[in-house]
């Protein structure tokens, strides 16, 4: 399975929020697994973060503000999500409101996603390519990765037009670079090494 996502490095704010976000994400996962609704909760939470908050002007600021009473935030959540989101997620959001943590919502979603993937044995694989992958290429890549990782590889694809060709694959801390730019640099280095070796050999023969 593949999903398009932003795989840019974490911002300073997200790094600072992760310890607290991990506590709440772990609680979400525990509640979701107990109710058998973890995947649904992630889908709804992602929709809230990626679709609802950007679309409703001022909602993100209101929910994240330390100057708005938590009861007001809960009423806003009921009005915006009541009957649309699952009661389990809505209750969790109200807990975040009471603890003044709705400003951590995006980071909580990201950590929750990571924890759920780990619980499901899904391995996050970041893929950068100059052009979108076609189904045949994606299938070959998944088949190759399945033999390399312990678990189910899950592609997160981004497009990088600056790549001359090929793709760059990251699994955890390991990077597999198959870009044409890297290949050309390797060839250039090999030619340079052979040239230096040949010059040195000629010098050695001449000195003798």
């Amino acid at each position: 399975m593949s999903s398009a996502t932003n795989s840019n490095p974490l911002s300073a704010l997200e790094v600072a929020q992760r310890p607290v976000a991990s506590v709440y994400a772990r609680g979400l996962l525990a509640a979701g697994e107990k109710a058998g609704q973890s995947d649904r909760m992630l889908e709804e939470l992602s929709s809230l973060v990626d679709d609802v908050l950007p679309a409703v002007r001022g909602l993100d600021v209101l929910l994240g503000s330390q100057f708005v009473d938590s009861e007001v935030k809960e009423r806003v959540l009921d009005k915006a999500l009541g009957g649309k989101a699952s009661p389990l997620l809505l209750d969790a959001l109200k807990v975040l409101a009471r603890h003044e943590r709705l400003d951590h919502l995006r980071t909580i979603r990201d950590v929750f996603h990571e924890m759920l993937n780990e619980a499901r044995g899904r391995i996050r694989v970041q893929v950068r390519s100059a052009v979108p992958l076609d189904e045949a290429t994606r299938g070959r890549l998944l088949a190759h990765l399945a033999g390399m990782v312990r678990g189910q590889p899950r592609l997160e694809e981004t497009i990088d037009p600056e790549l001359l060709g090929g793709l760059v694959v990251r699994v955890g801390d390991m990077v597999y670079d198959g870009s044409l730019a890297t290949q050309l640099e390797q060839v250039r280095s090999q030619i340079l090494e052979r040239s230096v070796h040949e010059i040195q050999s000629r010098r050695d023969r001449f000195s003798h």
Side-chain angles (χ1 to χ4, degrees):
M1 182 178 294
S2 64
S3 61
T5 189
N6 181 1
S7 59
N8 292 332
L10 295 178
S11 68
L13 176 61
E14 290 171 319
V15 171
Q17 288 181 345
R18 281 183 77 86
V20 171
S22 296
V23 174
Y24 289 97
R26 193 171 294 110
L28 279 175
L29 181 61
E33 292 292 80
K34 183 177 181 180
Q37 295 185 25
S38 294
D39 290 290
R40 178 182 176 183
M41 288 178 69
L42 175 60
E43 182 178 345
E44 292 178 343
L45 185 55
S46 293
S47 179
L48 173 62
V49 169
D50 296 332
D51 303 324
V52 178
L53 292 183
V56 181
R57 184 177 180 181
L59 181 59
D60 196 9
V61 175
L62 185 149
L63 292 178
S65 174
Q66 302 294 317
F67 302 102
V68 178
D69 190 83
S70 63
E71 293 182 0
V72 174
K73 295 179 182 179
E74 289 185 46
R75 289 197 296 270
V76 170
L77 288 169
D78 278 328
K79 185 176 181 179
L81 303 177
K84 301 174 184 177
S86 63
L88 190 60
L89 178 62
L90 189 55
D91 287 344
L93 292 173
K94 290 180 179 180
V95 170
L96 293 176
R98 289 192 288 271
H99 288 84
E100 300 291 348
R101 297 302 185 186
L102 284 173
D103 58 330
H104 286 51
L105 202 54
R106 182 175 296 277
T107 308
I108 291 171
R109 185 279 306 271
D110 292 344
V111 177
F112 178 40
H113 193 179
E114 293 171 8
M115 290 180 174
L116 183 57
N117 279 343
E118 183 177 355
R120 296 286 186 272
R122 303 169 185 154
I123 307 299
R124 182 189 184 201
V125 180
Q126 296 171 283
V127 180
R128 285 192 301 123
S129 58
V131 296
L133 300 181
D134 57 40
E135 288 301 323
T137 302
R138 186 179 294 113
R140 289 194 298 269
L141 179 58
L142 284 170
H144 180 69
L145 289 167
M148 295 173 53
V149 301
R150 294 183 178 180
Q152 176 187 350
R154 186 180 183 88
L155 302 188
E156 295 183 356
E157 302 174 22
T158 55
I159 308 304
D160 183 357
E162 294 185 2
L163 286 177
L164 295 181
L167 48 78
V168 177
V169 178
R170 176 186 291 273
V171 183
D173 295 329
M174 299 297 296
V175 177
Y176 305 89
D177 193 336
S179 70
L180 180 58
T182 299
Q183 295 174 19
L184 290 175
E185 179 61 25
Q186 291 172 345
V187 170
R188 188 191 68 82
S189 297
Q190 291 170 358
I191 292 174
L192 180 60
E193 289 176 3
R194 288 200 299 268
S195 298
V196 171
H197 178 73
E198 181 64 23
I199 292 172
Q200 186 62 48
S201 297
R202 292 177 180 176
R203 286 178 178 174
D204 291 342
R205 287 197 301 271
F206 181 77
S207 63
H208 285 79

